[in-house]
mmCIF file with all atom_site columns, all heavy atoms in Angstrom:
data_model
loop_
_atom_site.group_PDB
_atom_site.id
_atom_site.type_symbol
_atom_site.label_atom_id
_atom_site.label_alt_id
_atom_site.label_comp_id
_atom_site.label_asym_id
_atom_site.label_entity_id
_atom_site.label_seq_id
_atom_site.pdbx_PDB_ins_code
_atom_site.Cartn_x
_atom_site.Cartn_y
_atom_site.Cartn_z
_atom_site.occupancy
_atom_site.B_iso_or_equiv
_atom_site.pdbx_formal_charge
_atom_site.auth_seq_id
_atom_site.auth_comp_id
_atom_site.auth_asym_id
_atom_site.auth_atom_id
_atom_site.pdbx_PDB_model_num
ATOM 1  N N   . GLY A 1 179 ? 62.847 226.523 -7.579 1.00 98.00 ? 179 GLY A N   1
ATOM 2  C CA  . GLY A 1 179 ? 63.385 226.976 -6.304 1.00 98.00 ? 179 GLY A CA  1
ATOM 3  C C   . GLY A 1 179 ? 63.446 225.844 -5.293 1.00 98.00 ? 179 GLY A C   1
ATOM 4  O O   . GLY A 1 179 ? 62.759 224.825 -5.434 1.00 98.00 ? 179 GLY A O   1
ATOM 5  N N   . TRP A 1 180 ? 64.275 226.025 -4.273 1.00 97.00 ? 180 TRP A N   1
ATOM 6  C CA  . TRP A 1 180 ? 64.365 225.044 -3.192 1.00 97.00 ? 180 TRP A CA  1
ATOM 7  C C   . TRP A 1 180 ? 63.061 225.031 -2.407 1.00 97.00 ? 180 TRP A C   1
ATOM 8  O O   . TRP A 1 180 ? 62.543 226.080 -2.039 1.00 97.00 ? 180 TRP A O   1
ATOM 9  C CB  . TRP A 1 180 ? 65.504 225.390 -2.239 1.00 97.00 ? 180 TRP A CB  1
ATOM 10 C CG  . TRP A 1 180 ? 66.875 225.288 -2.817 1.00 97.00 ? 180 TRP A CG  1
ATOM 11 C CD1 . TRP A 1 180 ? 67.691 226.319 -3.190 1.00 97.00 ? 180 TRP A CD1 1
ATOM 12 C CD2 . TRP A 1 180 ? 67.608 224.087 -3.066 1.00 97.00 ? 180 TRP A CD2 1
ATOM 13 N NE1 . TRP A 1 180 ? 68.881 225.831 -3.672 1.00 97.00 ? 180 TRP A NE1 1
ATOM 14 C CE2 . TRP A 1 180 ? 68.866 224.460 -3.606 1.00 97.00 ? 180 TRP A CE2 1
ATOM 15 C CE3 . TRP A 1 180 ? 67.327 222.732 -2.897 1.00 97.00 ? 180 TRP A CE3 1
ATOM 16 C CZ2 . TRP A 1 180 ? 69.829 223.542 -3.965 1.00 97.00 ? 180 TRP A CZ2 1
ATOM 17 C CZ3 . TRP A 1 180 ? 68.291 221.806 -3.259 1.00 97.00 ? 180 TRP A CZ3 1
ATOM 18 C CH2 . TRP A 1 180 ? 69.525 222.203 -3.779 1.00 97.00 ? 180 TRP A CH2 1
ATOM 19 N N   . LEU A 1 181 ? 62.538 223.840 -2.127 1.00 96.00 ? 181 LEU A N   1
ATOM 20 C CA  . LEU A 1 181 ? 61.376 223.734 -1.259 1.00 96.00 ? 181 LEU A CA  1
ATOM 21 C C   . LEU A 1 181 ? 61.808 223.928 0.187  1.00 96.00 ? 181 LEU A C   1
ATOM 22 O O   . LEU A 1 181 ? 62.766 223.294 0.647  1.00 96.00 ? 181 LEU A O   1
ATOM 23 C CB  . LEU A 1 181 ? 60.705 222.367 -1.418 1.00 96.00 ? 181 LEU A CB  1
ATOM 24 C CG  . LEU A 1 181 ? 59.674 222.232 -2.534 1.00 96.00 ? 181 LEU A CG  1
ATOM 25 C CD1 . LEU A 1 181 ? 59.248 220.781 -2.684 1.00 96.00 ? 181 LEU A CD1 1
ATOM 26 C CD2 . LEU A 1 181 ? 58.458 223.115 -2.273 1.00 96.00 ? 181 LEU A CD2 1
ATOM 27 N N   . VAL A 1 182 ? 61.109 224.784 0.900  1.00 93.00 ? 182 VAL A N   1
ATOM 28 C CA  . VAL A 1 182 ? 61.438 225.094 2.286  1.00 93.00 ? 182 VAL A CA  1
ATOM 29 C C   . VAL A 1 182 ? 60.625 224.199 3.212  1.00 93.00 ? 182 VAL A C   1
ATOM 30 O O   . VAL A 1 182 ? 59.394 224.172 3.126  1.00 93.00 ? 182 VAL A O   1
ATOM 31 C CB  . VAL A 1 182 ? 61.158 226.573 2.592  1.00 93.00 ? 182 VAL A CB  1
ATOM 32 C CG1 . VAL A 1 182 ? 61.467 226.887 4.054  1.00 93.00 ? 182 VAL A CG1 1
ATOM 33 C CG2 . VAL A 1 182 ? 61.951 227.478 1.666  1.00 93.00 ? 182 VAL A CG2 1
ATOM 34 N N   . GLY A 1 183 ? 61.317 223.465 4.080  1.00 88.00 ? 183 GLY A N   1
ATOM 35 C CA  . GLY A 1 183 ? 60.620 222.668 5.085  1.00 88.00 ? 183 GLY A CA  1
ATOM 36 C C   . GLY A 1 183 ? 60.468 221.205 4.763  1.00 88.00 ? 183 GLY A C   1
ATOM 37 O O   . GLY A 1 183 ? 59.802 220.473 5.496  1.00 88.00 ? 183 GLY A O   1
ATOM 38 N N   . MET A 1 184 ? 61.097 220.720 3.681  1.00 88.00 ? 184 MET A N   1
ATOM 39 C CA  . MET A 1 184 ? 60.976 219.309 3.314  1.00 88.00 ? 184 MET A CA  1
ATOM 40 C C   . MET A 1 184 ? 61.977 218.429 4.045  1.00 88.00 ? 184 MET A C   1
ATOM 41 O O   . MET A 1 184 ? 61.901 217.207 3.974  1.00 88.00 ? 184 MET A O   1
ATOM 42 C CB  . MET A 1 184 ? 61.153 219.130 1.807  1.00 88.00 ? 184 MET A CB  1
ATOM 43 C CG  . MET A 1 184 ? 59.921 219.445 0.991  1.00 88.00 ? 184 MET A CG  1
ATOM 44 S SD  . MET A 1 184 ? 58.450 218.542 1.506  1.00 88.00 ? 184 MET A SD  1
ATOM 45 C CE  . MET A 1 184 ? 58.982 216.853 1.305  1.00 88.00 ? 184 MET A CE  1
ATOM 46 N N   . GLU A 1 185 ? 62.956 219.052 4.717  1.00 88.00 ? 185 GLU A N   1
ATOM 47 C CA  . GLU A 1 185 ? 63.951 218.271 5.459  1.00 88.00 ? 185 GLU A CA  1
ATOM 48 C C   . GLU A 1 185 ? 64.744 217.333 4.552  1.00 88.00 ? 185 GLU A C   1
ATOM 49 O O   . GLU A 1 185 ? 65.143 216.244 4.956  1.00 88.00 ? 185 GLU A O   1
ATOM 50 C CB  . GLU A 1 185 ? 63.274 217.475 6.581  1.00 88.00 ? 185 GLU A CB  1
ATOM 51 C CG  . GLU A 1 185 ? 62.741 218.316 7.703  1.00 88.00 ? 185 GLU A CG  1
ATOM 52 C CD  . GLU A 1 185 ? 63.846 218.789 8.658  1.00 88.00 ? 185 GLU A CD  1
ATOM 53 O OE1 . GLU A 1 185 ? 64.596 217.956 9.177  1.00 88.00 ? 185 GLU A OE1 1
ATOM 54 O OE2 . GLU A 1 185 ? 63.946 220.001 8.865  1.00 88.00 ? 185 GLU A OE2 1
ATOM 55 N N   . ARG A 1 186 ? 64.907 217.722 3.315  1.00 91.00 ? 186 ARG A N   1
ATOM 56 C CA  . ARG A 1 186 ? 65.791 217.052 2.358  1.00 91.00 ? 186 ARG A CA  1
ATOM 57 C C   . ARG A 1 186 ? 66.034 218.053 1.227  1.00 91.00 ? 186 ARG A C   1
ATOM 58 O O   . ARG A 1 186 ? 65.257 218.997 1.073  1.00 91.00 ? 186 ARG A O   1
ATOM 59 C CB  . ARG A 1 186 ? 65.173 215.755 1.822  1.00 91.00 ? 186 ARG A CB  1
ATOM 60 C CG  . ARG A 1 186 ? 64.001 215.930 0.885  1.00 91.00 ? 186 ARG A CG  1
ATOM 61 C CD  . ARG A 1 186 ? 63.142 214.681 0.756  1.00 91.00 ? 186 ARG A CD  1
ATOM 62 N NE  . ARG A 1 186 ? 62.230 214.560 1.881  1.00 91.00 ? 186 ARG A NE  1
ATOM 63 C CZ  . ARG A 1 186 ? 61.167 213.755 1.895  1.00 91.00 ? 186 ARG A CZ  1
ATOM 64 N NH1 . ARG A 1 186 ? 60.925 212.971 0.877  1.00 91.00 ? 186 ARG A NH1 1
ATOM 65 N NH2 . ARG A 1 186 ? 60.365 213.713 2.939  1.00 91.00 ? 186 ARG A NH2 1
ATOM 66 N N   . ASP A 1 187 ? 67.084 217.862 0.472  1.00 95.00 ? 187 ASP A N   1
ATOM 67 C CA  . ASP A 1 187 ? 67.376 218.766 -0.632 1.00 95.00 ? 187 ASP A CA  1
ATOM 68 C C   . ASP A 1 187 ? 66.454 218.435 -1.801 1.00 95.00 ? 187 ASP A C   1
ATOM 69 O O   . ASP A 1 187 ? 66.621 217.406 -2.459 1.00 95.00 ? 187 ASP A O   1
ATOM 70 C CB  . ASP A 1 187 ? 68.837 218.637 -1.068 1.00 95.00 ? 187 ASP A CB  1
ATOM 71 C CG  . ASP A 1 187 ? 69.804 219.192 -0.045 1.00 95.00 ? 187 ASP A CG  1
ATOM 72 O OD1 . ASP A 1 187 ? 69.366 220.004 0.795  1.00 95.00 ? 187 ASP A OD1 1
ATOM 73 O OD2 . ASP A 1 187 ? 70.986 218.806 -0.083 1.00 95.00 ? 187 ASP A OD2 1
#
Side-chain angles (χ1 to χ4, degrees):
W180 294 105
L181 273 172
V182 178
M184 280 306 301
E185 291 282 305
R186 71 199 80 164
D187 290 340

